[in-house]
Amino acid sequence: MRETVQLAIMFADIAGSTKLFETVGDTKAREITSRCIDLLKRVTQDHGGRVVKTIGDEVMCTFPSSDRAADASVKMQEEVGAHGLRWGTDLKIRVGFHFGEVIQENDDVFGDAVNLAARMSGQAKGDQIITTGETMACLSPRLKNKCRKLLTTMVKGKTAPIGIVELTWGEEEELTIMAGHSRSITQHNTGPTMSISFEGRVITLCHADPVVSFGRGSTNTFVVPDSMSSRVHARIEFRGGQIYLVDQSTNGTYVQLSNGEPPILVHREERPIEGAGVIGLGRVVTPNDPLAVHFQ
């Protein structure tokens, strides 16, 4: 039977599955991805949704409302995060969804809303949930308050710009957990180093401790609760005697050197840094900005 209905369409897939196979081997990777897909199916059903199909390491499903899709997407992220540790890997998923009119026929769904949901999944990074501004407008206030607008952009197949929105999750708990951890930590090492500080906490980057990370998520070395920062925003690495800034965010990372030169934008790339200055996640900051990360 062919009918036109209003549904939330969701795509959820495993981020970095190719790397997973390279890291743990084919047999273990297949076991982990299979368990993850089963988990995503279970969460879908628990929230009143229907699994339409699985495509490799991706699940396509539908929900009767945007709220149910949103709640399911948050639960998927929470469950995958918890189970990934038990499976012995830092597993992450990307989720994208959109609510709109679709054609439903023979247990499958078609239409512009399906294509747009797939585009939102393509916009997401691991640990991220992406939807459209149109879908955000359909959410209840409880969920709308967890959304943040990222950008407006043209999407293939659409004549008008589409609002890209992130549905955040787990952040209230993360900020509470980190609240008591702003003590000063100084490590002593020989050789080249870089001192990095935020909110009174100081870490020395060196050969022995070669990476620090920044973002809204609690797994980062420095949790920066800025609305412009991504959950996993950027990291600074000590590699081969050189310090690199590696950005993996939506809005980019700005480096303001103390020599007075214009800010440098690093976006989805890496760049060597040296000297002293401040880093802003998603925006330009000054040394006195409370959300500025200092380095020297």
Side-chain angles (χ1 to χ4, degrees), residues 7 12 27 55 57 60 62 65 77 89 110 116 127 175 203 242 264 279:
L7 290 173
T27 302
I55 311 159
D57 57 7
M60 175 185 175
T62 64
S65 70
Q77 293 286 10
T89 181
F110 311 91
L116 199 47
D127 267 349
L175 296 181
I203 286 183
Q242 176 69 61
I264 301 165
I279 292 171

Side-chain angles (χ1 to χ4, degrees), residues 53-130:
K53 65 181 77 170
T54 59
I55 311 159
D57 57 7
E58 180 179 64
V59 171
M60 175 185 175
C61 42
T62 64
F63 296 86
S65 70
S66 54
D67 270 27
R68 290 205 180 189
D71 284 332
S73 65
V74 171
K75 188 64 174 178
M76 286 176 179
Q77 293 286 10
E78 292 173 343
E79 291 270 327
V80 169
H83 282 75
L85 296 176
R86 298 173 201 164
W87 298 334
T89 181
D90 183 22
L91 199 65
K92 299 183 188 301
I93 60 168
R94 299 180 292 233
V95 182
F97 69 96
H98 174 70
F99 183 81
E101 186 175 274
V102 298
I103 299 170
Q104 191 167 250
E105 182 179 20
N106 297 329
D107 294 329
D108 207 346
V109 287
F110 311 91
D112 185 57
V114 177
N115 297 331
L116 199 47
R119 300 288 183 201
M120 294 307 100
S121 176
Q123 291 282 334
K125 303 189 299 293
D127 267 349
Q128 198 172 35
I129 303 166
I130 296 293

Side-chain angles (χ1 to χ4, degrees), residues 18 48 98 104 191 211 249 251:
T18 301
H98 174 70
Q104 191 167 250
V211 181
S249 70
N251 296 318

Side-chain angles (χ1 to χ4, degrees), residues 218-234:
S218 65
T219 57
N220 292 289
T221 313
F222 293 99
V223 176
V224 183
D226 192 336
S227 62
M228 295 297 291
S229 69
S230 295
R231 187 177 181 82
V232 180
H233 194 101

Side-chain angles (χ1 to χ4, degrees), residues 190-211:
T190 58
T193 63
M194 175 173 280
S195 174
I196 303 166
S197 62
F198 178 69
E199 291 189 331
R201 184 181 182 209
V202 181
I203 286 183
T204 300
L205 192 72
C206 63
H207 177 72
D209 295 280
V211 181

Side-chain angles (χ1 to χ4, degrees), residues 143-195:
L143 290 162
K144 201 175 291 184
N145 289 338
K146 295 182 178 181
C147 290
R148 66 184 190 116
K149 297 177 182 178
L150 297 179
L151 70 156
T152 300
T153 186
M154 295 301 299
V155 174
K156 185 178 180 181
K158 303 293 289 185
T159 56
I162 298 295
I164 307 295
V165 174
E166 180 181 14
L167 175 63
T168 63
W169 59 279
E171 294 182 8
E172 292 178 4
E173 295 82 355
E174 289 168 356
L175 296 181
T176 301
I177 291 169
M178 295 302 294
H181 285 229
S182 58
R183 66 183 186 276
S184 176
I185 301 175
T186 305
Q187 301 171 11
H188 301 281
N189 298 278
T190 58
T193 63
M194 175 173 280
S195 174

